[in-house]
Amino acid sequence: MNLDELVFHPWAVQGPRDVPTLVGGSGSHVTDVSGKRYLDFSSQLVFTNLGHQHPKIVAAIKEQADRLCTLAPGNASDIRGEAARLIVEVAPEGLGHVLFTTGGTEAVEHAVRMARLFTGRPKVLSAYRSYHGSTTTSIHLTGDPRRWASDTGTAGAVHFFGPFLYRTAFGSSTAEEECERALAHLEQVILLEGPSTIAGLVLESVTGSSGVIVPPAGYLRGVRELCSRHGIVYIADEVMVGFGRTGAWFGVDHDGVAPDLLVFAKGVNSGYVPLGGVLIGDAICEMFTQRPYPAGLTYSGHPLACAAAVGAITAMHEEATVEAAARLGTEILGPGLKELAGKHEVIGDVRGIGGLWSMELVRDRTTKEPLVPPGAVGASNAPMASFAKACLERGLLPLIMGNRIHVAPPLNVSDADAASGLAILDDALAAANF
Ligand code: PLP
């Protein structure tokens, strides 16, 4: 019996699957049960920023496991404190405390709760084309079709359009125009919803799984300014892009912005042990020096997860991973993917930054009709499935989201591996049944 059939898979039609069973890994590669190696161009779900089996992270987990595997959150813990110190040290100005969670979704839930307690207001704004998690609040904030099946319209979420020049909602033709118009639109939404009803605004600093959309320069600064002007808590969702993915420690750093709350997960410890958290601004933290924070988790700041964070962040400093991610984007992935767009008519747009890129596949470059519709499964998704199969046959693990191929190798991928990944994508694009 294929034991994978006993596992209920998130976001998936259940039933037998034709996928390799992975049993090992090292650096940018994973190995299946037959010994075949695959270059991991997905960093799994964009979290193994330091690749697989990084010796420093593995050693940190082992050392902590030998010393003290677990502790309740109420105890003081040396490793938890050290993880918090390392996180705060690289965080934007004014974010001096960390609430640890076990992942990104929980971090979003807690940030929203804090914003509501701080302002006494009910609503939360978020962008169309966003993903913030799959629990009740976070799925309602999610702005893409993954929300639809769960949306009861009762969570106080209000959506707005962020800047996205390729499919502009504002008829813009330049990034500057798109930025200006998106900010004017957001201001209208705030004014018409009523600023006194809006607790917070949650925004991915670079939109990740809903399209890899990099905001134009000045947009995040404009959002910061609007939130400050209207007393709205600005929550930066850095679950996917925090800890180096974009070639900066955090996505907000590209625009020189400090949010009131910042949620993180994934790259904080390359996902070796589940960990997420909320970086908390001083004003909000101050409120909870007068009264208790009314929420918690049994595994908040789990020692093994915190040890993995200490190992990962230390390695990132030692190996200059953030700088490597910036170079990966400007010198290798950006130019390489644009070259692919020159060869393959099916690629409508290439966009990204650092170690996070996307090729959007279209039926027609003029109409920009997506190659497969949103939420496509089965026959309607056949073109993307045939591309995925072509990648796996050639020894590459791809990350496919709807009509897009996301490209997100480990940030420490070697130049040679990155080049061979690009060559496999080229070959698979030619071989796929589009
Ligand atoms: N926010 C963003 C931007 C994400 O990309 C994700 C997950 O991909 C989440 C929140 C949810 O995080 P998790 O899956 O760790 O709960």
Side-chain angles (χ1 to χ4, degrees), residues 197-213:
T197 70
I198 304 169
L201 178 149
V202 186
L203 183 64
E204 290 179 77
S205 304
V206 170
T207 302
S209 60
S210 309
V212 186
I213 304 168

Side-chain angles (χ1 to χ4, degrees), residues 254-275:
H254 292 288
D255 230 10
V257 161
D260 301 303
L261 297 170
L262 185 153
V263 297
F264 65 85
K266 301 190 188 255
V268 64
N269 64 4
S270 278
Y272 283 32
V273 185
L275 184 68

